[in-house]
Amino acid sequence: MSKKCELTGKIPMKGHNVSHANNKTKRRFLPNLKKVKFTSELAGRSLKLTVSNSGVRSVDKKGSFDEFLKTVKNKNISPRLKKLKKVILFKSPYKKKPVAKSA
C-alpha cells in the first residue's frame, strides 16, 4: 500500500529524531491516512480511497465529492481520479455566469 493521499497528494516527509544530547537519527513523518468511501452523484458510482484527514476535510468544505473533484488540480490526484474527473466534468451542467449589460 502506498503511503500517499489520493486526493491531496500528501506523501511522507523526512526529518530527524533529536535527542537531549542533540544526536540526530533519521525518521519519517507519515500522513494521517484513512480508507474512506466516497460516492459521486454525477458519475453514479462509489469509490474506496486512501485519503489523509485533511483531504476528507477539504471534501467536506466543498460540500460534495463531485464539487471537490471539479476544483482540484490534476497533478495532485491519482490516475483513477483523473478519469473520474473527466466523467464528472462532462456530465456536470454548465453554469454560465451572468454578464452585466452596459447601457
Side-chain angles (χ1 to χ4, degrees), residues 53-65 67-68 71:
N53 197 31
S54 63
V56 174
R57 290 170 51 109
S58 298
V59 171
D60 286 342
K61 184 176 180 178
K62 290 291 181 182
S64 72
F65 182 61
E67 290 298 320
F68 176 80
T71 58

Side-chain angles (χ1 to χ4, degrees), residues 4 6 74 77-85:
K4 183 175 181 180
E6 293 187 70
N74 277 345
I77 58 178
S78 67
R80 67 183 184 152
L81 286 181
K82 287 179 188 176
K83 291 178 187 176
L84 182 64
K85 183 178 177 179

Side-chain angles (χ1 to χ4, degrees), residues 14-25:
K14 296 176 186 173
H16 290 99
N17 280 332
V18 181
S19 70
H20 184 68
N22 207 22
N23 298 331
K24 295 173 182 73
T25 56

Side-chain angles (χ1 to χ4, degrees), residues 11-100:
I11 57 173
M13 293 181 0
K14 296 176 186 173
H16 290 99
N17 280 332
V18 181
S19 70
H20 184 68
N22 207 22
N23 298 331
K24 295 173 182 73
T25 56
K26 291 185 179 182
R27 64 161 290 185
R28 293 173 69 194
F29 295 94
L30 299 176
N32 186 14
L33 297 177
K34 300 172 180 351
K35 289 228 181 229
V36 182
K37 191 173 186 180
F38 290 105
T39 54
S40 170
E41 288 103 25
L42 291 175
R45 25 185 293 210
S46 60
L47 292 162
K48 198 168 194 179
L49 302 173
T50 305
V51 182
S52 64
N53 197 31
S54 63
V56 174
R57 290 170 51 109
S58 298
V59 171
D60 286 342
K61 184 176 180 178
K62 290 291 181 182
S64 72
F65 182 61
D66 295 331
E67 290 298 320
F68 176 80
L69 272 184
K70 286 181 195 176
T71 58
V72 73
K73 293 181 181 176
N74 277 345
K75 71 174 191 171
N76 293 337
I77 58 178
S78 67
R80 67 183 184 152
L81 286 181
K82 287 179 188 176
K83 291 178 187 176
L84 182 64
K85 183 178 177 179
K86 280 185 183 178
V87 171
I88 288 173
L89 289 176
F90 182 73
K91 289 187 176 183
S92 68
Y94 176 71
K95 295 181 182 175
K96 192 173 184 181
K97 294 181 182 179
V99 178

